Amino acid sequence: VVRGAGGVIRPARPARGGGGVVRSTGGLVRGAARPAGSRGGSAGGAVLTAGGQAFSCIAEGEEVTCSGENSMGQLGTADLATARTFTFYLPTAARSLVAGDDFACASTSSEVWCWGDNRWDQTGHGNSEVTSPGPVVGVPGGAIKDIAAGRAHACALTDQGVWCWGVNTAHQVKDSDDTYLSPTQVEGLDSLEITGIEASNFTTFVRTTRGVWAWGDNTRHQITSTDASYLPPTQISEPTEGTGNPGGTGATQAPSQNGAPANPSNQRAQ
């Protein structure tokens, strides 16, 4: 992201056709009417929180409230000019909540809902560049066990494997040269018993009973010490007790020339 006087200047997305803002009737979204009954907590009664580049979200039960910048709909409303706080409702209680730079996702027991910046398919809502909350199209039905978000990509651990979508400039979604992808199953993980998933800017990680595996950006040797810029799923640790987030977070990089988030290798000091 390039910052200039007067605000944030974002790159134009490569032309894909059919773009536009998805606006919801009356400023509310699907599921916006509060479900009958009490407002319960999220999974286990927890209050979930997540923060992006200049916004944050809180989920408690079905209710999600986001605050901060809304230039790309990251608060969950198409009222881009005036909204500073916005509340909407999921169909059932949130179990996980994550955020990338300018988008966020929440999971229920059976769906992943995302909203905000979709210039690289990171909310999974087709060609619209700014999206209101809604289920990600292409993630198979069934149990959603965990979700993760990088700078402009997201992933879901389901009972049918790991599915990722969004920007793929460092192969963080799939080991291919596609710039961005709709939900795609990650290959090379079939033999693993996966217990959790995490993401950093351009790299994705899974925790398994056999250790931690990672794929995506390796330009700074964040996966292995090899000279390969991008790697498919690769084991990076043996099993340990209490494995946490192996990825951490990195500094925000400037966009590449084609408008997609840049490979960090381009940001080294000259």
Side-chain angles (χ1 to χ4, degrees):
V1 175
V2 179
R3 293 189 178 274
V8 178
I9 302 173
R10 288 178 172 79
R13 185 182 189 182
R16 298 180 59 194
V21 175
V22 177
R23 297 187 180 274
S24 52
T25 302
L28 296 178
V29 300
R30 174 186 164 187
R34 183 188 294 277
S38 64
R39 169 189 164 186
S42 299
V47 176
L48 306 174
T49 61
Q53 182 169 245
F55 75 103
S56 61
C57 298
I58 299 173
E60 184 175 2
E62 299 90 354
E63 183 178 286
V64 180
T65 299
C66 297
S67 303
E69 182 179 321
N70 195 46
S71 57
M72 296 302 297
Q74 54 266 56
L75 303 189
T77 173
D79 181 11
L80 306 183
T82 61
R84 293 296 177 265
T85 298
F86 187 73
T87 297
F88 60 92
Y89 297 90
L90 302 172
T92 59
R95 291 175 174 265
S96 297
L97 181 67
V98 297
D101 266 13
D102 295 314
F103 76 104
C105 300
S107 67
T108 67
S109 60
S110 60
E111 289 183 313
V112 180
W113 280 47
C114 296
W115 59 93
D117 184 9
N118 191 47
R119 288 173 294 172
W120 301 284
D121 282 348
Q122 62 265 51
T123 68
H125 293 335
N127 291 330
S128 297
E129 292 189 359
V130 177
T131 57
S132 297
V136 175
V137 178
V139 175
I144 304 296
K145 300 179 179 180
D146 200 5
I147 57 175
R151 182 182 176 192
H153 79 288
C155 297
L157 171 60
T158 78
D159 58 2
Q160 299 185 44
V162 174
W163 296 72
C164 295
W165 57 95
V167 72
N168 193 50
T169 52
H171 298 197
Q172 64 267 49
V173 171
K174 179 182 180 181
D175 189 23
S176 73
D177 293 328
D178 298 287
T179 302
Y180 39 79
L181 290 162
S182 56
T184 301
Q185 187 169 19
V186 179
E187 300 175 349
L189 303 175
D190 293 345
S191 64
L192 301 175
E193 183 179 344
I194 300 172
T195 59
I197 189 166
E198 303 281 354
S200 62
N201 275 349
F202 299 93
T203 311
T204 311
F205 307 82
V206 290
R207 301 186 301 275
T208 80
T209 55
R210 292 165 48 189
V212 177
W213 295 62
W215 62 94
D217 182 37
N218 192 54
T219 55
R220 294 177 179 175
H221 298 170
Q222 54 267 64
I223 297 177
T224 72
S225 59
T226 66
D227 291 331
S229 295
Y230 316 124
L231 289 171
T234 302
Q235 187 173 13
I236 62 173
S237 79
E238 298 294 333
T240 58
E241 292 262 342
T243 300
N245 180 356
T249 57
T252 300
Q253 287 82 32
S256 64
Q257 291 183 352
N258 69 357
N263 183 329
S265 64
N266 296 329
Q267 308 308 315
R268 294 172 179 163
Q270 300 298 315

